[in-house]
């Protein structure tokens, strides 16, 4: 885990080296200071040469100034290093999430992903900065200070070292508890995030059921759990730092008394006593630092662990090693004995489906909801991979194609159109990034959006609210259609694109869709049988698979399931 963590330093090697060297110089200067004080008291003061004292002070002033400059560098560059690493990780994780397959998004809460990409990484940056640097400096200062203390007075130095194991034990003990506490805390804040995400995206549902109070209570529970987890962490932290404080101060008192006695005896000069006490501080400081590190380490590592957990989730649908780029498909789609289920434990949704759609054909799928129509269509762009059997387009197995080239040839218009925050133009352009204004306007025209956009004061530059809520279903639908005109794919999937519309809007959309599906292989899933009258072929899907297929009139004549559906709809 640590080794993996260090790989993130590689791109910032130089920054790290500069920062590290400056930190070492600062530490050496700090280590030398008590020696200078001792010399000042024992050797310089008794000479009584005032001018010498002034010169020494001026010299010290320059050393301090240099040290201040170096400390600034250490601080700034160190944090820069940390932030760089944090940003790299965040970018990497985002890219990884982009690669994930549908099943990942089916099973993952948005809030949890958000947490991992934001909060979880906060402490990693700090750890990356402070970790190796502080650890090295602390060990170096500790050894240096102890060595000098031995040269001043062996007895005092040995007494000092006895305290160290106690301090280390205290720190190690709290570290274990802290580790646990931070991990808890991260889990809880992720829950809070998930709750916020849920209730904001579902705000309309919440309000229409007037369940605000219920949501508030649920949020309070999670928020309190987070508070509790964080409090536990802080409590452990408080105990540790108070314990350390008390131990070190008590000890300085011991040194002071024992040292004073040695001075009376004449075994220790007063300069040496002062220097020694200064060194006790120098010696304990690294322990303080390490304890701070030990607090930071579990925090950072808990985040890093969650980071790697997500990073190690392999996307389910991936390009084969020798995947080919298909330049342009005609659109002959064939399902061969396709079996597929969302969950291995449950009965598969599709069981040995055979189906053929010819290039340029318009095929309509009808049947009860939950039968698997959407599922059939999700398999064609490889949103999921089949469990058994195969799907091929133009006689090439889709698993042999690169995902990118396959999906770039399939356009999907769903009932739920997702609009991104941004302008209308940007939302249409999503169909073909980099499209010119003329292309966008042409697409809008063909999607019958022209009049609507012309009526808006800001036209194409109108901001679409978050998720496009300011637009009606029909308007959103037409934006999706405009996107498709830009994308211009040979294969088109219309999944209940007109189901939620009123009859008048449906007529306009139907016109746009008919135009869109010209010269394309089109798969239409529809509830309203009127919308599929124009299909070349109708496929009736039930829970047992494909029940019947054929032309509209042919199926009516046959008097099977479709004929029944038809009758029910036209009677009501
Ligand atoms: P249709 O489009 O014909 O209404 P679907 O293809 O959406 O039917 O659904 C077929 C079955 O698969 C249903 O039982 C549904 O509950 C299940 N299902 C659909 N999508 C998912 C999913 N993302 N995860 C798990 N089960 C799913
Ligand atoms: Mg469906």
């Amino acid at each position: 885990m640590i080794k993996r963590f260090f790989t993130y330093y590689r791109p910032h090697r130089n920054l790290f080296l500069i920062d590290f060297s400056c930190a070492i110089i600062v530490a050496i200067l700090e280590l030398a200071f008590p020696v200078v004080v001792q010399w000042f008291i024992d050797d310089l003061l008794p000479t009584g040469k005032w001018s010498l004292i002034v010169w020494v002070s001026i010299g010290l002033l320059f050393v301090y100034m240099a040290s201040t400059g170096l400390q600034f560098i250490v601080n700034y560059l160190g944090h820069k290093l940390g932030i760089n690493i944090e940003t790299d990780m965040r970018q990497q994780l985002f890219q990884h999430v982009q690669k994930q397959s549908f099943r990942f998004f089916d099973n993952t809460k948005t809030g949890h992903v958000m947490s991992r990409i934001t909060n979880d990484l906060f402490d990693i940056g700090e750890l990356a900065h402070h970790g190796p640097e502080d650890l090295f400096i602390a060990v170096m200062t500790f050894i240096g200070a102890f060595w000098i203390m031995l040269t001043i007075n062996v007895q005092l130095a040995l007494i000092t070292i006895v305290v160290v194991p106690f301090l280390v034990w205290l720190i190690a003990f709290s570290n274990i508890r802290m580790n646990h506490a931070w991990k808890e805390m991260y889990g809880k804040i992720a829950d809070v995030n998930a709750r916020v995400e849920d209730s904001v995206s579902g705000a309309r549902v919440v309000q229409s059921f007037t369940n605000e109070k219920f949501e508030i209570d649920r949020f309070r529970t999670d928020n309190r759990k987070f508070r509790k987890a964080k409090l536990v962490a802080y409590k452990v932290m408080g105990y540790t730092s108070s314990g350390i404080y008390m131990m070190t101060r008590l000890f300085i008192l011991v040194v002071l008394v024992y040292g004073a006695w040695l001075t009376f005896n004449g075994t220790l000069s007063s300069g040496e006593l002062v220097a020694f006490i200064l060194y006790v501080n120098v010696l304990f400081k690294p322990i303080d630092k390490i304890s701070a590190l030990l607090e930071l380490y579990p925090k950072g590592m808990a985040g890093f662990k969650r980071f790697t957990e997500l990073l190690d989730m392999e996307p389910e649908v991936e390009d084969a090693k020798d995947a080919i780029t298909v330049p342009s498909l005609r659109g002959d789609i064939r399902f061969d004995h396709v079996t597929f289920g969302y969950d291995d434990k449950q009965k598969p949704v599709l069981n040995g489906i055979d189906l053929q759609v010819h290039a340029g054909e318009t095929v309509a799928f009808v049947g009860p909801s939950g039968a698997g129509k959407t599922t059939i269509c999700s398999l064609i762009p490889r949103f999921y991979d089949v469990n058994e059997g195969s799907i091929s387009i133009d006689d090439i197995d889709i698993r042999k194609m690169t995902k990118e080239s396959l999906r770039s040839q399939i356009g999907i218009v769903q009932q739920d159109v997702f609009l991104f925050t941004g302008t209308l133009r940007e939302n249409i352009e999503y169909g073909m990034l980099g499209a010119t204004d003329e292309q966008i306007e042409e697409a809008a025209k063909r999607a019958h959006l022209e009049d609507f956009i012309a009526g808006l004061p800001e036209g194409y530059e109108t901001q679409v609210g978050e998720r496009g809520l300011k637009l009606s279903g029909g308007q959103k639908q037409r934006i999706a259609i405009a996107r498709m005109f830009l994308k211009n794919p040979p294969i088109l999937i219309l999944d209940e694109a007109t189901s939620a519309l009123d009859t008048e809007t449906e007529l306009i959309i139907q016109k746009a869709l008919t135009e869109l599906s010209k010269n394309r292989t089109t798969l239409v899933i529809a509830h309203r049988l009127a919308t599929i009258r124009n299909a070349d072929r109708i496929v009736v899907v039930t829970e047992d698979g494909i029940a019947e297929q054929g032309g509209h009139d042919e199926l009516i004549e046959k008097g099977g399931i479709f004929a029944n559906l038809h009758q029910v709809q036209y009677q009501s």
Side-chain angles (χ1 to χ4, degrees):
M1 187 63 95
I2 302 241
K3 211 164 140 198
R4 183 162 180 189
F5 185 67
F6 277 117
T7 57
Y8 287 92
Y9 283 81
R10 214 168 283 149
H12 312 290
R13 211 172 354 199
N14 291 343
L15 198 59
F16 178 72
L17 285 179
I18 297 173
D19 172 52
F20 206 70
S21 330
C22 291
I24 291 177
I25 299 174
V26 171
I28 290 175
L29 288 178
E30 228 167 272
L31 212 49
F33 178 69
V35 180
V36 176
V37 173
Q38 183 199 336
W39 171 75
F40 200 93
I41 296 176
D42 283 349
D43 300 336
L44 204 56
L45 278 184
T47 63
K49 281 189 190 146
W50 183 243
S51 63
L52 202 58
I53 291 176
V54 170
W55 279 116
V56 169
S57 309
I58 292 175
L60 277 180
L61 177 70
F62 279 107
V63 174
Y64 279 147
M65 273 162 49
S67 166
T68 308
L70 286 174
Q71 284 195 37
F72 173 78
I73 293 179
V74 170
N75 236 315
Y76 178 68
L77 289 190
H79 277 116
K80 186 168 167 184
L81 173 74
I83 293 168
N84 284 355
I85 288 177
E86 186 186 323
T87 315
D88 288 353
M89 288 179 171
R90 181 165 295 131
Q91 188 69 31
Q92 189 190 9
L93 196 56
F94 183 82
Q95 285 170 0
H96 187 69
V97 170
Q98 292 288 311
K99 276 198 308 198
Q100 289 300 324
S101 308
F102 273 40
R103 208 182 296 263
F104 170 86
F105 296 102
D106 288 345
N107 299 333
T108 316
K109 284 194 166 201
T110 317
H112 282 173
V113 176
M114 270 164 50
S115 242
R116 294 195 182 199
I117 295 185
T118 55
N119 319 28
D120 285 7
L121 292 176
F122 287 158
D123 294 310
I124 296 183
E126 274 294 282
L127 179 64
H129 158 207
H130 287 292
E133 181 186 311
D134 285 9
L135 189 65
F136 182 81
I137 300 286
V139 171
M140 187 188 108
T141 323
F142 186 83
I143 294 174
F146 186 63
W147 182 65
I148 300 175
M149 286 160 94
L150 274 175
T151 66
I152 295 177
N153 189 293
V154 177
Q155 271 180 30
L156 271 181
L158 290 180
I159 295 176
T160 316
I161 209 74
V162 169
V163 190
V164 172
F166 288 103
L167 277 179
V168 172
W169 171 81
L170 177 67
I171 291 166
F173 173 73
S174 4
N175 179 34
I176 295 169
R177 292 190 51 193
M178 202 90 88
N179 230 322
H180 182 73
W182 286 124
K183 200 156 176 241
E184 236 354 76
M185 195 276 285
Y186 275 128
K188 296 292 182 251
I189 192 67
D191 288 344
V192 168
N193 275 343
R195 194 57 78 209
V196 172
E197 146 77 18
D198 256 13
S199 73
V200 173
S201 346
R204 283 151 202 91
V205 182
V206 174
Q207 297 200 359
S208 58
F209 282 103
T210 57
N211 276 348
E212 289 93 337
K213 198 173 161 307
F214 173 68
E215 288 296 327
I216 290 170
D217 289 341
R218 277 215 289 194
F219 184 79
R220 183 179 296 116
T221 311
D222 281 346
N223 204 14
R224 284 200 176 144
K225 277 189 190 151
F226 163 69
R227 171 180 170 275
K228 204 166 151 201
K230 201 159 186 182
L231 271 184
V232 169
Y234 280 130
K235 203 186 225 166
V236 180
M237 213 162 106
Y239 282 146
T240 318
S241 66
S242 310
I244 291 173
Y245 182 82
M246 196 184 73
M247 250 194 220
T248 52
R249 300 311 121 150
L250 268 181
F251 184 69
I252 285 181
L253 212 59
V254 172
V255 171
L256 197 64
V257 173
Y258 189 65
W261 187 70
L262 287 178
T263 318
F264 285 143
N265 278 347
T267 32
L268 201 68
S269 72
S270 32
E272 281 172 336
L273 177 59
V274 173
F276 197 91
I277 289 179
L278 287 176
Y279 273 121
V280 171
N281 269 323
V282 176
L283 188 80
F284 285 162
K285 213 164 147 193
I287 299 182
D288 263 357
K289 249 199 179 151
I290 289 184
S291 85
L293 253 188
L294 285 182
E295 177 213 321
L296 188 60
Y297 182 80
K299 258 202 310 196
M301 275 301 159
F304 187 64
K305 212 164 175 179
R306 293 167 63 87
F307 165 79
T308 54
E309 265 168 27
L310 189 50
L311 205 60
D312 289 341
M313 272 191 196
E314 285 302 326
E316 179 197 350
V317 178
E318 273 193 298
D319 282 352
K321 274 200 196 67
D322 49 356
I324 52 170
T325 305
V326 278
S328 65
L329 295 170
R330 275 177 291 122
D332 257 318
I333 304 170
R334 203 178 69 234
F335 281 56
D336 279 314
H337 306 299
V338 169
T339 296
F340 171 80
Y342 289 98
D343 190 340
D344 292 338
K345 287 174 217 103
Q346 276 159 13
K347 174 173 163 282
V349 176
L350 305 178
N351 218 329
I353 295 277
D354 284 305
L355 177 73
Q356 181 135 27
V357 180
H358 301 288
E361 198 182 10
T362 295
V363 174
F365 292 82
V366 294
S369 124
K373 304 179 294 293
T374 300
T375 306
I376 289 178
C377 292
S378 308
L379 296 179
I380 300 172
R382 275 190 86 195
F383 289 148
Y384 303 88
D385 268 342
V386 298
N387 298 4
E388 279 165 49
S390 68
I391 299 173
S392 54
I393 302 180
D394 297 359
D395 287 324
I396 308 168
D397 190 320
I398 55 171
R399 284 168 296 196
K400 295 207 175 96
M401 308 175 182
T402 62
K403 269 193 304 183
E404 193 182 343
S405 65
L406 169 67
R407 290 181 185 171
S408 69
Q409 318 223 17
I410 301 172
I412 303 175
V413 180
Q414 280 161 310
Q415 186 178 342
D416 253 348
V417 179
F418 188 90
L419 298 183
F420 292 90
T421 313
T423 61
L424 270 177
R425 179 189 304 279
E426 286 162 350
N427 266 293
I428 297 174
E429 194 196 336
Y430 212 81
M432 182 172 87
L433 297 179
T436 64
D437 286 354
E438 289 85 59
Q439 286 172 318
I440 291 174
E441 278 158 34
E442 168 72 16
K445 193 169 148 192
R446 294 172 79 180
H448 298 270
L449 267 173
E450 202 177 29
D451 294 342
F452 162 64
I453 294 176
L456 295 168
E458 287 172 271
Y460 282 93
E461 307 311 321
T462 307
Q463 283 289 330
V464 181
E466 205 189 336
R467 301 199 167 193
L469 286 172
K470 283 185 243 154
L471 297 182
S472 75
Q475 288 155 350
K476 286 202 274 188
Q477 209 56 259
R478 278 178 278 165
I479 289 178
I481 293 169
R483 281 179 184 164
M484 280 317 138
F485 275 117
L486 281 181
K487 183 170 180 177
N488 195 22
I491 297 169
L492 192 63
I493 296 171
L494 309 174
D495 190 349
E496 306 200 0
T498 53
S499 299
L501 306 174
D502 54 87
T503 326
E504 194 181 342
T505 320
E506 193 187 339
L507 270 176
I508 304 178
I509 306 248
Q510 200 54 56
K511 251 164 75 185
L513 284 177
T514 310
E515 155 128 22
L516 181 63
S517 55
K518 256 183 216 150
N519 302 321
R520 298 177 214 271
T521 307
T522 309
L523 287 77
V524 197
I525 301 174
H527 272 316
R528 280 190 226 173
L529 302 179
T531 56
I532 51 173
R533 195 180 286 273
N534 305 336
D536 300 317
R537 183 151 52 106
I538 293 163
V539 175
V540 181
V541 184
T542 66
E543 285 185 13
D544 303 321
I546 294 174
E548 52 186 35
Q549 50 179 311
H552 185 263
D553 300 335
E554 183 188 338
L555 287 180
I556 301 247
E557 222 160 281
K558 194 176 156 199
I561 300 172
F562 180 76
N564 261 333
L565 280 174
H566 191 265
Q567 203 182 12
V568 169
Q569 216 171 75
Y570 280 93
Q571 268 173 0
S572 56

